[in-house]
Amino acid sequence: QVQLVESGGGLVQAGGSLRLSCAASGSIFTINAMGWYRQGLGKQRELVASTHNGGSTNYADSVKGRFTISIDNAKNTVYLRMNNLKPEDTAVYYCNAAVVVTTDPHDYDYWGQGTQVTVSS
């Protein structure tokens, strides 16, 4: 019912920047929250940043001051601007959205397919 499509990953040198995008589409009534998670090789998936209906944002300590999450509500699209990237930021980045669909009053989590970010030293 809901699809999340990510783009913007790639290979960058340490100190560089990337911007990830995630567009939600489908039978969307409203989106309560959107966010980015990442999973490094052999590691658990972790929250990177999230933004909630009403404008609040939340960041992992490791990315504070370097990453910025923003949302275009008209396009149902969330962005993650990543500056001063470090090798330890290397991971697959997944978009997540808590969506209320048109046929159900509850919100459900949806995930994108993931996009690889690789930071070389």
Side-chain angles (χ1 to χ4, degrees):
Q1 288 180 305
V2 175
Q3 298 79 41
L4 301 182
V5 179
E6 300 140 335
S7 60
L11 173 64
V12 64
Q13 289 188 331
S17 298
L18 284 174
R19 189 180 81 154
L20 305 182
S21 301
C22 172
S25 63
S27 303
I28 298 170
F29 178 71
T30 190
I31 299 177
N32 288 335
M34 295 190 82
W36 292 93
Y37 288 71
R38 66 185 180 188
Q39 187 166 17
L41 196 61
K43 298 181 180 179
Q44 288 190 330
R45 190 173 297 191
E46 63 176 357
L47 174 69
V48 177
S50 63
T51 180
H52 301 263
N53 208 344
S56 64
T57 57
N58 185 42
Y59 294 93
D61 287 343
S62 59
V63 307
K64 283 180 181 176
R66 299 188 298 123
F67 291 11
T68 302
I69 190 169
S70 61
I71 192 168
D72 184 333
N73 290 307
K75 296 181 179 179
N76 289 333
T77 298
V78 66
Y79 305 95
L80 185 68
R81 177 67 179 181
M82 305 184 292
N83 294 329
N84 190 21
L85 282 159
K86 303 176 181 180
E88 51 264 43
D89 294 317
T90 295
V92 178
Y93 284 69
Y94 296 92
C95 176
N96 169 266
V99 180
V100 178
V101 297
T102 55
T103 56
D104 190 320
H106 303 96
D107 69 18
Y108 295 95
D109 272 347
Y110 293 89
W111 292 88
Q113 79 284 358
T115 185
Q116 177 71 46
V117 171
T118 303
V119 185
S120 63
S121 56

